[in-house]
Amino acid sequence: MLSILRGFLILTAFLMLGDITVELFALPLSSGVAGMLLLTFWLLLRRRLSHDLTAASQPLIGMLALLIMPGVVGIFFQADEFSGQWLAIFIALILGTLLSSLTTLWLMQHLVSTPRERPHE
Amino acid sequence: MSELLLRLEILTSELPQRPETAIVLTLAAYFAGLRLFGWLRSPAWCPPILLAACLLAGLLALLPLDYTEYRHGVGWLTWLLGPATVALGVPLYQQVHHIRTLWKPIVLTLPPAAILAAGYAVGIAWLLDAPPTVLASLAPKSVTAPIAMGITQELGGSVSLLMGALLITGVMATLSITLLARWGNIHDQRVIGFALGLNGHAIGTVRAFDIGPTAGAFASLGMSLTGVFTALWLPLMWHFLG
């Protein structure tokens, strides 16, 4: 239990660091993302993952679906705002995702099977 | 007796605004959604979060509770998204060794694929005359929710519309990658997993873990890298294009 709290302290401290970095350099990032990047760099430098950090991050990541629920629910109460846009939204999402899935599979498959091929060299 | 009624009246006007009300409703709907998901035998096209959100919306509509009041009350829970987003750095660090084994295809695929994942949808919506708010809400559609929320707020989109877009994208990416891999005769778990994570964020990653542990590992790598990469380029590009 104390381990989780220590890990939570580290995570929140990195969130604060992220917040400070974003504010100070006027970065177009959310403080959470900045904190995540800083934490990753710090871990890459240290090359060691403490038990505290794993203990705190695992339950938090497992809770993500719960944490985003209040945002998801909003769509039911703000649907009027986008009336008349729904067809465009659905076409963009469905067609766009189909095309991007196709592109990724094609690119990755070609690059994995012919690793020596370098189109720009 | 009249005093008791008076107190009851005060309570009914105060209770909707309290954090505990919002948190009890959210948690109850969450667990009911999970239970319902189990009863429906875990359908791939309908993630438990969608069921839970529908239940919560139903509760909010039935009870004398305003959505803005609820948003205010539930602030304590949504604040946890901050540390949870930071926590995503831990699995990202744990996946880094996969980059070392296959760095060239990953490094060459990630930028164009992540840019197109946003670009196709925004381009199509723009051609169909969607307003800037809608474009800003659709742009981070392939990014994992906590990162995507931060991005769309930067761009001036609607978090709620983004959430709907994330659900549709996740389900659609899972379906299309499964079918396309079958038609294209692609069996490499690393390729399928990476594509699932890159396009279908958390929903695609869950599907990848069904396929196998290698697919799952590459999906979480694809998801994290897409999140980080998109969080860096999209706001910059957006400001640049105005």
Side-chain angles (χ1 to χ4, degrees):
Chain A
M1 188 59 209
L2 277 177
S3 183
I4 295 181
L5 269 183
R6 273 197 297 266
F8 191 71
L9 170 65
I10 301 176
L11 291 177
T12 315
F14 268 97
L15 180 63
M16 247 180 88
L17 260 175
D19 212 0
I20 294 169
T21 319
V22 165
E23 291 287 324
L24 212 58
F25 299 102
L27 298 174
L29 279 180
S30 74
S31 31
V33 175
M36 176 189 73
L37 291 175
L38 291 169
L39 178 69
T40 314
F41 283 132
W42 186 65
L43 287 173
L44 285 171
L45 285 176
R46 276 188 80 209
R47 291 168 163 270
R48 204 173 60 83
L49 194 58
S50 72
H51 171 67
D52 298 344
L53 254 182
T54 347
S57 60
Q58 265 169 359
L60 269 175
I61 292 172
M63 270 199 286
L64 274 174
L66 170 72
L67 300 181
I68 61 171
M69 256 178 68
V72 177
V73 171
I75 192 71
F76 294 103
F77 299 93
Q78 290 164 15
D80 299 347
E81 240 179 83
F82 304 106
S83 57
Q85 302 296 331
W86 289 110
L87 189 66
I89 292 170
F90 278 112
I91 294 176
L93 286 174
I94 291 176
L95 198 60
T97 307
L98 185 67
L99 288 173
S100 77
S101 300
L102 187 68
T103 317
T104 315
L105 276 177
W106 185 83
L107 266 174
M108 191 72 179
Q109 178 71 7
H110 276 257
L111 291 165
V112 167
S113 51
T114 50
R116 278 163 203 278
E117 201 177 277
R118 294 183 198 178
H120 295 296
E121 281 181 20
Chain B
M1 189 61 197
S2 64
E3 220 167 283
L4 194 71
L5 276 175
L6 191 70
R7 268 182 244 148
L8 188 70
E9 204 173 307
I10 294 172
L11 195 66
T12 46
S13 67
E14 266 185 6
L15 211 54
Q17 295 166 21
R18 296 231 179 114
E20 57 266 34
T21 317
I23 290 168
V24 162
L25 286 176
T26 313
L27 279 173
Y30 177 69
F31 286 112
L34 285 184
R35 177 76 59 92
L36 195 60
F37 184 68
W39 279 342
L40 296 174
R41 297 200 196 131
S42 322
W45 48 270
C46 184
I49 170 84
L50 180 59
L51 295 171
C54 291
L55 288 173
L56 183 56
L59 274 175
L60 289 179
L62 287 174
L63 296 171
L65 230 164
D66 198 44
Y67 178 65
T68 37
E69 270 180 348
Y70 165 76
R71 254 341 262 269
H72 187 74
V74 86
W76 180 83
L77 206 61
T78 26
W79 175 81
L80 277 176
L81 256 181
T85 312
V86 178
L88 288 174
V90 173
L92 180 57
Y93 167 74
Q94 287 170 324
Q95 298 301 332
V96 161
H97 66 276
H98 287 302
I99 303 183
R100 293 202 182 111
T101 61
L102 213 65
W103 69 270
K104 205 177 288 166
I106 290 174
V107 167
L108 289 178
T109 306
L110 179 73
I115 290 173
L116 286 173
Y120 283 134
V122 172
I124 294 169
W126 182 76
L127 286 175
L128 294 172
D129 271 339
T133 336
V134 170
L135 298 183
S137 318
L138 296 187
K141 72 175 187 59
S142 283
V143 174
T144 183
I147 302 182
M149 280 174 84
I151 299 177
T152 209
Q153 280 163 351
E154 275 302 321
L155 306 185
S158 146
V159 170
S160 301
L161 180 56
L162 165 76
M163 289 301 167
L166 285 177
L167 276 175
I168 297 173
T169 305
V171 173
M172 187 59 203
T174 308
L175 281 174
S176 55
I177 289 168
T178 313
L179 289 175
L180 287 169
R182 200 176 296 161
W183 287 335
N185 222 5
I186 298 170
H187 302 292
D188 193 333
Q189 283 206 13
R190 300 170 302 178
V191 174
I192 299 174
F194 195 72
L196 277 171
L198 196 148
N199 292 291
H201 53 92
I203 299 174
T205 305
V206 170
R207 166 76 189 130
F209 274 107
D210 287 342
I211 298 174
T214 315
F218 273 86
S220 31
L221 181 69
M223 178 179 82
S224 322
L225 290 179
T226 307
V228 171
F229 180 72
T230 310
L232 293 174
W233 76 267
L234 192 56
L236 283 173
M237 188 97 116
W238 208 265
H239 285 283
F240 183 69
L241 294 174

